Amino acid sequence: MKFKRERIYYTRYSFFDLRLGDMSIDLSLPWAIGPFLWAATAAASYGIFRFSRRRDGIAGALISALGLLAFIAAFAVHLWRPPVDHVKVLLVAQIVCAGALILFGWLLWPVQEQVRNAVAVTVNKPKIIKGILAGLAFPVILDGLFYLWPATSGYCGKLSSRYSMSKCRGQEDIFGLHDLPMEIYFGVLFGAFGLSVSIWGVFVVCRNIFRTKRGAVTPVVEDRAGENYE
């Protein structure tokens, strides 16, 4: 006699349910947005609160704001999934969050203590241009990787070896499911950062060009005024 072996897969932690009246919320792991990302968002919120109290460390406040924006974008996509391609959603999220980050930094700068005592630094144009190109490399490379290897649901179940499957599920328990919200989170976290750095670099270069032109005209006007007095 031959017996057939059947593989039975059980969902881990499926017993952890939260019931609120007639509504049941399944809190079993893995989540769409993992516990590590929730903890990072809580730390980012504390960073912004700390800056609002002490008014120093604008770089830390901007990093905290970037983490908070990445979580908001991922959570919004989790609640409402747009009926378009995932790369388009990622590009829109990166552009919107980069603009929000620049606006947030512009609003925070006057609030920072001792901002009026800041010493003017001569801008090195080659370094700024390198920074612009390096910043653009973040969204270009990241979006290209997500285009070639999108974060699709059920990814762990498609792996061949049992070790890779268990390792993948352990990562999902920490960071979240291989799905669009996790793609948006990390795409915004690194892509919006690089995009905002590039936009800031372009703004600094343009401001220096206009200031240089104004400085070149001013001495000529002063010299002519001196000649008239003579």
Side-chain angles (χ1 to χ4, degrees):
M1 292 179 65
K2 294 183 179 180
F3 297 94
K4 294 182 179 181
R5 289 186 178 182
E6 296 181 357
R7 293 183 178 180
I8 302 174
Y9 297 96
Y10 297 95
T11 304
R12 293 174 295 170
Y13 317 119
S14 59
F15 58 87
F16 194 39
D17 293 338
L18 177 65
R19 295 187 176 274
L20 299 174
D22 297 333
M23 183 175 62
S24 176
I25 301 175
D26 186 12
L27 297 179
S28 59
L29 293 173
W31 300 344
I33 302 174
F36 181 81
L37 305 186
W38 283 90
T41 305
S45 303
Y46 172 75
I48 296 175
F49 173 75
R50 181 179 178 275
F51 177 84
S52 65
R53 295 291 299 272
R54 301 183 62 177
R55 297 186 178 182
D56 61 347
I58 191 172
L62 289 176
I63 294 173
S64 300
L66 180 62
L68 189 60
L69 286 171
F71 178 82
I72 292 173
F75 193 73
V77 170
H78 173 62
L79 293 179
W80 178 72
R81 187 179 294 258
V84 293
D85 186 62
H86 67 103
V87 178
K88 295 179 181 179
V89 178
L90 180 59
L91 286 172
V92 172
Q94 287 173 343
I95 294 171
V96 172
C97 290
L101 184 64
I102 293 172
L103 178 63
F104 187 71
W106 179 71
L107 294 174
L108 286 184
W109 183 253
V111 180
Q112 186 181 14
E113 289 183 352
Q114 300 177 353
V115 67
R116 294 181 180 178
N117 299 328
V119 181
V121 180
T122 304
V123 178
N124 191 346
K125 288 184 180 179
K127 289 184 178 180
I128 291 293
I129 293 173
K130 288 180 181 179
I132 293 171
L133 296 177
L136 285 175
F138 276 88
V140 170
I141 295 175
L142 196 64
D143 295 355
L145 291 176
F146 279 127
Y147 175 77
L148 295 175
W149 297 283
T152 56
S153 59
Y155 170 77
C156 296
K158 299 176 182 178
L159 297 176
S160 57
S161 64
R162 184 173 298 178
Y163 172 76
S164 300
M165 189 181 298
S166 60
K167 185 179 178 180
C168 179
R169 287 178 177 174
Q171 293 174 354
E172 284 189 340
D173 290 344
I174 298 173
F175 296 102
L177 290 170
H178 286 79
D179 206 353
L180 186 59
M182 190 176 69
E183 178 180 329
I184 295 298
Y185 182 88
F186 288 104
V188 168
L189 190 65
F190 297 103
F193 165 75
L195 192 59
S196 59
V197 168
S198 300
I199 295 173
W200 176 82
V202 171
F203 171 75
V204 170
V205 170
C206 294
R207 186 182 62 178
N208 269 358
I209 291 173
F210 287 115
R211 281 187 177 181
T212 304
K213 288 182 179 180
R214 289 179 182 178
V217 175
T218 304
V220 177
V221 176
E222 290 179 354
D223 292 341
R224 289 180 179 178
E227 291 175 3
N228 293 333
Y229 282 113
E230 291 177 359

